[in-house]
Amino acid sequence: MDQARSTISKIFNGEPHSYTRFNLTQNMEGDNSQVEMKLSSEIDEETGGNGVGGHLNHNSNRTPYVAQKFGRTPKNLCFMAATIFLIFIIGYLIGYLVHRNKDLAPTCAPSALRYEDVSVAHETGAAPLMDWDDVKKLLAEKLTTSSMDAVLGQLTSSNHRAGSPGDEDLGNKVITKFKEYSMKTWTDEHFVKVQDPPASGYNRIVFKNESEEHPTGFLSYSASGTARGAVLYAHYGQEDDLRQLKDMNIDMNNRVMLVRAGRISFAEKVANAAKVNASAVLIYPDPADYSIGESTPLFGHVHMGSGDPYTPGFPSFNHTQFPPVQSSGLPNISAQTITTGMGMNILRQLGGRTQPNGWEGINRLGDESDVITVEVNNVLTEKRINNVFGVIKGFVDADRYVVIGAQRDAWGPGFAASSVGTSVLVELARSISDMVENGGFKPRRSIVFASWSAGEYGSVGATEWLEVRSAWQRFRLAAFFFYSTKINLLIDYPHFNTNLDTRENLNSVTASQVPQLAVRAGQFAGHIALRLVHDHLLQMDLKKYNQLIRSHVVQINGKVKTVQRMQPQLLPKALTVRWLIMASGSYSRASSALAADIQNSDLEDIEMCRVINDRIMTVERNFLSPYVSPRDSPFRHILLGSGPHTLKALTNHLDSLTTANPDANAEQFRNQFAQATWTIQTCANSLAGDIWSLDNEI
């Protein structure tokens, strides 16, 4: 190499003013060879690269090489040819070594191993390995009528009220099934307070001077004590029904409301009656709605909320000592169910005015002489309940969960109310486990199967579990799906909430197609759960909430202007709806931006999908008003909940202000108005994602 350099220098007449250095090195670890080419100049080396060095005694007589003349002698031409050939050989060797290292790099030959010979623990890519249509087809193959029929027989119980030995035994059967399917299992224990009928004694009613009746049905969480008042028939006890009575100028104070079962929950009927200052409520199954005989008792609860009403907002543990507190959803009036026979006997003797048009049945509402006494002696007791769980872990976002649960307890046999739901839950767990183990299905997120206890008392088990994990679910719970047989059987079945809810009665209503209907219900629930763990992105139509918010805002804006015009002393002109409109706009822009991000997202980017899903998961949580306590308002959702914090309540409050209703409070409205505005803006901020994406117009 030195000789070549010297030769090149001589070709250019003299001193080696510049040269090229080649460094050919092979990495011993098998990486590609490295080639270093360094161009250097003696002047740069001496001057530090800027032409001004520490040596100023250069030979002034030296002639720059560019001024020298190249002598084309045969000797010089030979040296030039040799040099070019040498450079060619070096380049060839470099290329050879680079190519050789690539050939020696380890590769996986697809023909060398079959897919089934390779054990893959988790999917590392973002895309699911199975098309959605194939997932549905696979579930249909696994979830069969014969297997459903078998598990229905195994999980049917004649007595499994919450906290009873029958309930515990059924829970043990469920967890045994989960273990058979190689699922990770655990239990969740709570000590909850519930109301049961009196262990000794009875509840009673006495109408006029007749002999007293002792109904065996009951309503948990009713106020205890004795109420006496004139009967007032109130149809189904809905708000519209009571409004019609009010429009007829009927006094409802201290009346005992007689209402039909159905259309709305027992708790709503009692809450509506309490609002008009009724003293008690009697609920009966009208023969036009229920063909269950004249002496069949009804069971239920009247807590306007969910969970243990004596630990609102926090879990029921026996080792946690909280001060005495109770949910505002507990009624302050007595409530009792009576049989069809008892209800019809009272109706036939009522006097008073004629019922409003459209209220079918016996047509008298009752007058002041139709006096009845209602005595409720329910007993508050503490019960130990257990929720049972099994999980199928996800392959991409294993720490994001979809929970599918079903109620396990019942007032009596509860075949349709709980046995069918529990059987569907267990069969879904078996089928999806088999899909993962033997069918090639890989859920992105984890699926938690939950068997809840104390569902008949108001989803107590499910609510207590969520309250334990309120902080955890804030970031990890992708979806919570409560399977209800009452919804998913899609049949007209009159025996819910009675002791007649048996397999025989359900067979008679369904022409002995219970297993087939249960499979259809399982496919419906299974498709929801599987879609939530299969897709890259969670499915949620944010535009529907946007439309709902806009609808409320338009109404509120118009009504505020009406109050300011008709009652200017209540709402000053300075009060503006501008900020609420801007919060609504912020949510609209944030939801549109998220929709655009979803549209433009790369589904192969796991982190991007995770970020988008986390933004979607915040929506429902942030619509829960942070300004009200679960104790005071169990349903805190400002769009779908109930209470003074909701947008619907703001509209109703404005109606009261317009008519100068004495119950209306302008100052309270302004506080609720501000809180609702900021709740919407907070939801928009969370939906926006990054802190620099926040809409600060408000």
Side-chain angles (χ1 to χ4, degrees), residues 110-142:
S111 60
L113 293 173
R114 296 175 300 170
Y115 174 78
E116 55 266 26
D117 293 333
V118 182
S119 175
V120 182
H122 283 76
E123 177 186 357
T124 57
L129 299 182
M130 186 173 291
D131 183 77
W132 172 242
D133 289 335
D134 293 333
V135 174
K136 293 190 292 184
K137 181 179 178 181
L138 190 58
L139 177 64
E141 293 173 358
K142 303 293 184 181

Side-chain angles (χ1 to χ4, degrees), residues 665-677:
N665 186 317
E667 190 66 27
Q668 184 183 34
F669 167 79
R670 295 181 66 176
N671 288 333
Q672 294 163 352
F673 181 63
Q675 291 167 359
T677 299

Side-chain angles (χ1 to χ4, degrees), residues 274-435:
K275 290 177 185 177
V276 296
N277 296 319
S279 61
V281 179
L282 294 175
I283 303 174
Y284 78 101
D286 194 275
D289 303 316
Y290 294 84
S291 55
I292 58 176
E294 292 204 347
S295 58
T296 301
L298 289 180
F299 302 86
H301 77 89
V302 291
H303 174 213
M304 194 67 175
S306 64
D308 183 349
Y310 296 95
T311 58
F314 45 86
S316 300
F317 289 136
N318 66 338
H319 60 270
T320 306
Q321 300 299 315
F322 292 102
V325 65
Q326 65 183 43
S327 167
S328 63
L330 287 176
N332 55 11
I333 62 174
S334 298
Q336 175 66 46
T337 57
I338 57 177
T339 65
T340 298
M342 295 176 188
M344 297 306 295
N345 177 55
I346 295 171
L347 281 170
R348 281 191 289 264
Q349 300 183 56
L350 291 182
R353 298 175 60 178
T354 304
Q355 299 175 7
N357 292 332
W359 289 19
E360 66 279 359
I362 298 174
N363 64 356
R364 294 292 175 179
L365 294 175
D367 60 22
E368 296 295 333
S369 64
D370 297 319
V371 178
I372 193 169
T373 300
V374 179
E375 183 179 331
V376 176
N377 298 305
N378 294 342
V379 177
L380 187 66
T381 182
E382 185 176 83
K383 292 187 176 184
R384 181 179 66 88
I385 62 171
N386 279 289
N387 299 318
V388 172
F389 303 90
V391 65
I392 297 174
K393 294 183 179 179
F395 285 77
V396 179
D397 290 329
D399 62 341
R400 296 297 188 265
Y401 311 96
V402 171
V403 180
I404 176 171
Q407 173 184 318
R408 189 178 68 244
D409 65 297
W411 296 121
F415 182 75
S418 64
S419 297
V420 172
T422 301
S423 299
V424 168
L425 180 77
V426 168
E427 272 300 280
L428 278 176
R430 180 194 61 79
S431 300
I432 298 175
S433 294
D434 195 15
M435 289 168 62

Side-chain angles (χ1 to χ4, degrees), residues 186-247:
W186 71 97
T187 60
D188 184 60
E189 182 182 75
H190 294 276
F191 291 82
V192 299
K193 290 182 179 180
V194 299
Q195 255 193 12
D196 280 336
S200 60
Y202 42 78
N203 297 334
R204 71 186 185 99
I205 63 170
V206 181
F207 181 57
K208 293 187 174 180
N209 295 320
E210 296 181 355
S211 59
E212 65 182 29
E213 302 270 9
H214 300 161
T216 55
F218 79 105
L219 292 170
S220 188
Y221 303 125
S222 163
S224 297
T226 302
R228 180 179 173 84
V231 175
L232 176 62
Y233 176 64
H235 206 211
Y236 289 97
Q238 301 173 108
E239 288 183 343
D240 286 343
D241 298 330
L242 301 182
R243 191 175 297 113
Q244 290 185 63
L245 295 176
K246 182 179 180 181
D247 292 342

